[in-house]
Amino acid sequence: MIGQTLDIVTTAAILYAVATGLLLVFGVMKIINFAHGGLMTLGGYAALLTTQAGLNPWLAIPAAALFGGVVGMAIERFVVRPLYNRPLDAILATWGLSIIIGQLITIAFGRGVQFAESPLNGTLDLFGESYSAYRLALVGIAAVLGIALTALLQGTRLGLETRAVIMNEDLARGLGINSGLVRFLTFTLGSALAGVAGALITPLSSVDPSMGVPWLVNAFMLVLVSGASLVSLLFACLVLGGAQVLVATHFSPVLGGLTIAVLAAIILRIRPQGFARD
Amino acid sequence: MTEARRLSLILAVSLLALAAIFAGPTVLDTYSVNVLTRSLLYAAVALTVDLLWGFLGILTFGQSVFFACGAYAAGLVFTHMDFSTSNAFLALGLGVGGALLVAAIVGWLAFWHGASALYASVITLVLPIVATQLLYSGGTFTGSSSGLSGFMSFDLSMEAWFWLSGSFLVGVTTLAYIFVKSDAGRLLVAVRENEQRCKYLGLDTSRLKILVYLACAAIAAIAGYIYAGYAMVVAPELAGFVFGTELVIWTALGGRGTLLGPVFGALIVDYESAQLAGDYPFVWQLIIGTLFVLVIVAFPRGLLPVVFDLPRKLLGLIRPRVATPAASVTLSTLDPADTQGVEPGEGAALSVAGVVKRFGSLTVLEGIDFEARAGELVSLVGPNGAGKTTLMRCIADGAERTAGSIAVNGYDIGRKPPEACVALGVGRKFQMANVFETLTVAQCLQIARVRHARPSLWCRAQELKLPEAAMHVLATTGLDKQLSTPAHLLSHGMKQALELSMVLALEPRVLLLDEPTAGLTKTERMQIGAILIDLAKKQGLCVLLVEHDLDFVREISSRVIVLHQGRIVLDGSVEEVVASELVKQVYAGSGHAGIDHETAPSPRTELPA
């Protein structure tokens, strides 16, 4: 029982960490960044390089953020910016970028599966249950990410401008907010977060050129049911991630892998705004 | 060009294509014939992606699933039941039937009234993921990750498979081409351009989308069936998301909305993939990915139009092209005996009782009660935010209001969607001119008549019959001389007139007009005013009009309803309303009644916006 609760909480934390970057980009730019999976793969390889160089595995996180952020800047400038008015085309173009990133990584590192060193090994005893220390650490990391992003959006001038662009971009521009810059910074931040997410999941899974793709669809569905709110994203991760854990343990892992996508599709059919308040 | 000549030209081209297919195996080497057989089938699936995405505007990632449906039906039946002629038909039936069933479920999920384009794409994205997982978990029945192989199949030579696949592709491409160029096919573009206007022209767009989706699923399933028969192996990747997106990539590269572009896109890319994938697998994928991003960003129409436009442009440099007028359509007035408008029911033309509309805690309309008879021209006035447009919306769409009831011609509209309200006799003209921008005037009008005159699936009508009222508007405004002008080239006033005649072509009993004179010149206003009076008096329409221009209201209305903060504050004759102190207070605020008019002696008593 306690083991399962921990499974649900840690799964929700991982999903939250994976989906925040996508949510940020969707909220501000109203486009779905399908390169998110590719950027996560990039973050995974950044983690691999860091640990292979013999550096402290925790350094993988800033390294992945740097990789993701820099590539994100280039993507925003050359691909996403011309497609602001064509959101469906932006999905396709960013998917194309995902293919490009995947193939470049394959050419550089080969197709094989590799493993990165985990920053935390062993287990922790919690409520009489011995549980993976790294998974527990992820809960803390996800909480820090969520709090930091909320503080950024609620407490800074950039955050205020970003929220203004989310609510009404035309009006925000009319009031002199450089919405292009807000979009650029958002996309960079979202890409950096994708990189971080890729680094965070490497100790749990292997590193390979298509490691980000399975996460993309789940993150995408979670973002769609959450609208543009970090709070409803947390709620969605707990509910849908919890459902995934329960289905996977009690029915079959295959059905568990489908739970988030199928449930999200049904939720959106019944309530188009999903878990968002309106 | 006459219809017969146009159609025979299409048939001649497809006969040439068939001849090329039959000559294929004699000039190509065995390896190419083998690879191209697969490419020809993939091209047929890419064609369905183009119909859905390029024409109807539904970006679909899941056509691979229908292909796999047909392929797995053959694989499963031939593996578990042996190969025989009757089993071959059984497999085909199961494949197409299964695809139709899946498509019906997906269609129900994705194309319901009010679903966004993004949601439909999301559903088609979830579909291949679910399908592959199910195939993986099928154990020995579906062969799990290695799929099914080693089953018996039709005993055909490699050339015969090539001919079969090629003829199938040419057949479906020809049919699809004839369809999209027909009157019925134009509906797909109309839905893509402006789905809302389609619904308010009485078209059940959800049903149209589901029908096209079903047809596309069936085509993909047949292609998959032929594929399994020839390849004698089926694998879960056929249903996958990656194949689904490859189909989209081929379509985008070739040119969405061109039919031939996606067919050639699929043929060339898949054939080249097979040639190059052996030597440079990753580099080839990289090139395709880069090309795809480049095309989406820089040439959203794809490469085929670029290839076709180049010689045309070069030719244009030497010899200026003579603009060929689009196929001309002649207008004629519909015999009044043939008008099929809804029979008037019992009682008032429009009756609104206790209507309430809330957005969350905000009440926009409350306790709205009124009735209007046929032949009445009722103006709805009130300051901004009074709820005028909201009331219009509640009458035209049964799902809008929070409480209360509305009856049109004596029929309760219940919770019916806009297209069903149109069937009861409601015609709504929007505040901003709402037409099909890329279609011509005649085509816009044809789409407005679809509800009454079923469009042909294979040819284009040369004659357009319109009800007298619509003809009258066209003649008065001179639009009847611009029938082949695309709507986006029309002036604002002309667009308003076009939308009005489209709505009148529906033969409505209750006409809802939201600021029909906004942004029009004085002459245009007077023309519209005269037309409206005529519609109410001679045709017996019940007209409900939202207007800010009080002079205009005074000239044409038979009755005025004043709305303020979501309630009816006055319902009476023009004289009563104009003389009312209350109305002045509503507009100018209680302490400043009338000041606006004293300080600004304008010739028109324009109400404050």
Side-chain angles (χ1 to χ4, degrees), chain A residues 20 40 53 58 72 104 128 163 186 198 209 234 236 246 275:
Chain A
T20 41
M40 282 178 69
W58 288 112
L104 286 176
R163 280 186 291 145
T186 310
L234 179 64
L246 292 178
F275 290 141

Side-chain angles (χ1 to χ4, degrees), chain B residues 25 42 55 86 118 180 183-184 226 262 264 397 436 447 515-516 583 594:
Chain B
Y42 284 0
F55 287 90
S86 57
L118 181 61
V180 298
D183 284 338
I226 301 176
F264 285 110
D397 181 353
F436 302 106
I447 284 165
E515 297 196 37
V583 173

Side-chain angles (χ1 to χ4, degrees), chain B residues 331-335 339 445-446 448-449 464-471 474 483 501 504-505 507:
Chain B
L331 289 182
S332 64
T333 309
L334 195 69
D335 188 341
T339 48
L445 290 164
Q446 266 175 340
R449 284 300 293 171
L464 179 60
K465 284 189 174 172
L466 292 174
E468 200 191 331
M471 287 294 280
L474 293 177
L483 286 177
S501 29
L504 289 172
E507 302 171 25

